[in-house]
């Protein structure tokens, strides 16, 4: 018998697996590759919502935990996945500059918004009003992380690629059985796949489709991430990741012509050089209308739990939410009401 059977090997599943292993627990992970939002994600971590100049929910705590979390993983998989890189917000007017400096005076944002105007000229970007720098930023190469961590799990016989059959799950008084696996607890971390889960599909997981490019632009020279209506993330060798779109209606993971045209238009608003589209990706982010994750235990079964709804900020939220759920299960430490799934069941009952 293992302590935890984890269904899903995206950012949520990996985060819980790592927290459990680091606390001396035994795990087994199942995934069928049906969800790809973690794999194709931009992977940026940024403590500021630049559209509204507001702090990301509990950003400070998430960043503090994240640093050690990915450092530990990098040692375990012998591969670098966390790249600390400045994020620059391009200004389009004097008014935008003024808004930036006003925001930097807010107590919550002061640690994260530099008051030094960046006037450096980057090749093929016209920036007469300069940039503002967000501090404590970077990106996680999510595709590399997921592939390497899965290899690590496989090498230790802790992973099986298989579609989860909910009918095969048997719930006993103090454990669960799934085919030939017995576990004290099962963690569902399926992302948008939650809609097929009979134990939690009454939760309001919405899903927001995002599309991204990898482009080649030899005349574009960047050593920072530029963020405006889209982000431009340098990957090396004249390659750049560009994203992302937001579509609340389409729930497929297929790239669209509409998304392609939107990204091209936005790229041309920022850079002045020619570029070639190398790859076009799409995925459905597991989002919730109140912009908070879904954590908790099933109302009837104490051994069935959920970790979902990480949305667009999975690399930041994943470690912190996995830790919160683990401590809730193991130490009976109460969940923050803002992420506890009980917040929705109370509304449903009313």
């Amino acid at each position: 018998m293992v302590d935890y059977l984890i269904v899903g090997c995206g950012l949520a599943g990996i985060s819980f697996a790592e927290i459990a292993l680091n606390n001396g627990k035994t795990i087994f992970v199942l995934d069928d590759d049906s969800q790809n939002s973690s794999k194709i994600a931009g992977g940026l971590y940024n403590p500021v919502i630049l559209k509204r100049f507001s702090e990301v929910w509990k950003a400070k705590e998430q960043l503090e935990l994240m640093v050690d979390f990915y450092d530990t993983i990098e040692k375990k998989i012998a591969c670098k996945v966390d790249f600390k890189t400045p994020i620059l917000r391009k200004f389009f007017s004097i008014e935008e500059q003024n808004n930036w400096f006003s925001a930097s005076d807010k107590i919550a944002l002061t640690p994260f918004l530099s008051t030094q105007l960046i006037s450096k000229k980057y090749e093929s970007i016209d920036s007469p009003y300069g940039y503002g720098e967000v501090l404590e930023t970077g990106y996680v190469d999510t595709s590399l992380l997921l592939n390497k961590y899965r290899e690590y799990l496989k090498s230790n016989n802790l992973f099986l690629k298989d579609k989860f059959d909910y009918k095969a799950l048997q719930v006993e008084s103090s454990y669960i059985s799934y085919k030939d696996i017995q576990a004290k607890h099962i963690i569902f971390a399926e992302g948008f796949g939650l809609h097929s889960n009979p134990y939690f599909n009454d939760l309001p997981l919405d899903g927001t489709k995002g599309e991204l490019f990898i482009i080649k632009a030899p005349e574009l020279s960047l050593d920072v991430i530029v963020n405006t209506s889209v982000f431009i993330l340098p990957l090396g060798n004249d390659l750049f990741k560009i994203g992302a779109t937001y579509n609340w209606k389409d729930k497929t993971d297929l790239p669209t012509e509409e998304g392609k045209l939107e990204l091209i238009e936005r790229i041309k608003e920022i850079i002045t050089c020619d570029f070639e589209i190398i790859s076009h990706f799409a995925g459905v982010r597991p989002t919730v209308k109140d912009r908070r994750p879904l954590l908790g235990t099933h109302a009837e079964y104490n051994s069935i739990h959920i970790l979902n709804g990480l949305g667009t900020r999975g690399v930041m939220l994943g470690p912190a939410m996995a830790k919160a759920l683990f401590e809730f299960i193991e130490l009976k430490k109460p969940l923050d009401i803002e992420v506890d799934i009980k917040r929705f069941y109370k509304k449903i009952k009313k």
Side-chain angles (χ1 to χ4, degrees):
M1 182 181 291
V2 295
D3 292 307
Y4 290 97
L5 172 60
I6 301 167
V7 182
C9 198
L11 285 169
I14 281 177
S15 295
F16 194 89
E18 182 67 5
I19 294 288
L21 288 172
N22 290 343
N23 281 276
K25 300 298 180 180
T26 52
I27 66 163
F28 194 80
V29 182
L30 287 171
D31 191 283
D32 65 354
D33 277 340
S34 64
Q35 304 302 313
N36 69 342
S37 65
S38 290
K39 197 174 293 182
I40 65 123
L44 273 61
Y45 51 90
N46 173 4
V48 182
I49 301 169
L50 290 172
K51 280 185 182 178
R52 298 189 293 275
F53 283 126
S54 56
E55 183 192 11
V56 169
W57 179 70
K58 297 198 173 182
K60 190 171 183 291
E61 297 99 303
Q62 290 173 32
L63 285 171
E64 286 174 356
L65 179 62
M66 203 187 80
V67 171
D68 290 337
F69 180 85
Y70 289 115
D71 183 56
T72 301
I73 281 186
E74 286 177 338
K75 291 171 183 171
K76 184 173 286 187
I77 63 176
C79 182
K80 185 167 181 59
V81 295
D82 180 10
F83 300 89
K84 292 165 179 58
T85 312
I87 291 180
L88 301 188
R89 168 66 182 270
K90 179 185 168 182
F91 297 134
F92 288 87
S93 65
I94 295 292
E95 184 184 8
E96 284 196 358
Q97 289 180 353
N98 293 336
N99 290 340
W100 176 277
F101 291 117
S102 294
S104 68
D105 286 334
K106 296 179 182 177
I107 293 174
L109 297 181
T110 297
F112 305 126
L113 296 182
S114 171
T115 55
Q116 298 295 314
L117 184 68
I118 306 292
S119 56
K120 180 177 177 179
K121 300 297 181 185
Y122 290 98
E123 193 177 341
S124 298
I125 298 182
D126 186 22
S127 55
Y129 300 100
Y131 306 87
E133 181 180 355
V134 189
L135 307 174
E136 298 194 45
T137 61
Y139 72 96
V140 171
D141 187 331
T142 54
S143 178
L144 185 61
L145 168 65
L146 268 57
N147 288 334
K148 290 292 186 180
Y149 201 85
R150 184 177 291 201
E151 286 177 14
Y152 163 78
L153 292 173
K154 283 180 179 176
S155 67
N156 287 280
N157 297 315
L158 302 177
F159 179 86
L160 177 66
K161 182 180 176 182
D162 195 21
K163 183 176 177 61
F164 190 82
D165 180 3
Y166 299 98
K167 293 178 181 177
L169 179 62
Q170 296 183 332
V171 186
E172 309 296 342
S173 58
S174 59
Y175 66 96
I176 61 97
S177 291
Y178 178 74
K179 297 183 178 179
D180 59 348
I181 302 167
Q182 290 185 334
K184 294 176 184 175
H185 302 275
I186 184 168
I187 307 292
F188 286 112
E190 308 146 294
F192 193 64
L194 177 74
H195 288 276
S196 301
N197 186 324
Y199 296 96
F200 293 111
N201 61 10
D202 56 346
L203 288 168
L205 186 79
D206 188 18
T208 309
K209 181 171 182 171
E211 300 189 46
L212 300 94
F213 283 165
I214 303 291
I215 66 167
K216 185 161 190 169
E219 295 173 46
L220 180 61
S221 179
L222 277 179
D223 56 358
V224 297
I225 300 164
V226 172
N227 193 325
T228 58
S229 57
V230 290
F231 65 79
I232 303 178
L233 191 164
L235 300 174
N237 299 317
D238 300 327
L239 296 175
F240 301 86
K241 182 179 279 190
I242 310 285
T245 62
Y246 290 83
N247 187 319
W248 289 270
K249 292 181 180 178
D250 184 358
K251 308 298 183 184
T252 70
D253 59 5
L254 300 174
T256 66
E257 188 66 18
E258 179 187 3
K260 179 180 178 180
L261 293 174
E262 181 182 339
L263 284 174
I264 289 173
E265 181 182 345
R266 292 189 180 185
I267 294 168
K268 288 182 175 178
E269 290 173 355
I270 306 167
I271 68 175
T272 57
C273 62
D274 292 333
F275 59 90
E276 176 190 358
I277 301 168
I278 303 298
S279 305
H280 183 185
F281 306 102
V284 181
R285 313 171 184 94
T287 55
V288 186
K289 281 189 172 64
D290 67 1
R291 296 192 174 124
R292 296 290 180 265
L294 300 171
L295 276 66
T297 298
H298 192 275
E300 292 180 40
Y301 306 112
N302 291 333
S303 54
I304 299 180
H305 315 275
I306 182 172
L307 174 57
N308 208 316
L310 301 186
T312 61
R313 301 183 184 277
V315 296
M316 273 181 70
L317 275 171
M321 294 301 99
K323 181 174 182 284
L325 182 61
F326 181 83
E327 291 178 347
F328 171 68
I329 296 168
E330 294 290 338
L331 307 176
K332 310 303 179 192
K333 184 177 178 180
L335 290 169
D336 188 316
I337 190 61
E338 289 192 66
V339 301
D340 195 326
I341 55 174
K342 287 180 181 176
R343 71 192 190 271
F344 291 113
Y345 291 124
K346 284 179 181 177
K347 291 173 186 176
I348 292 168
K349 286 174 183 176
K350 287 179 183 177

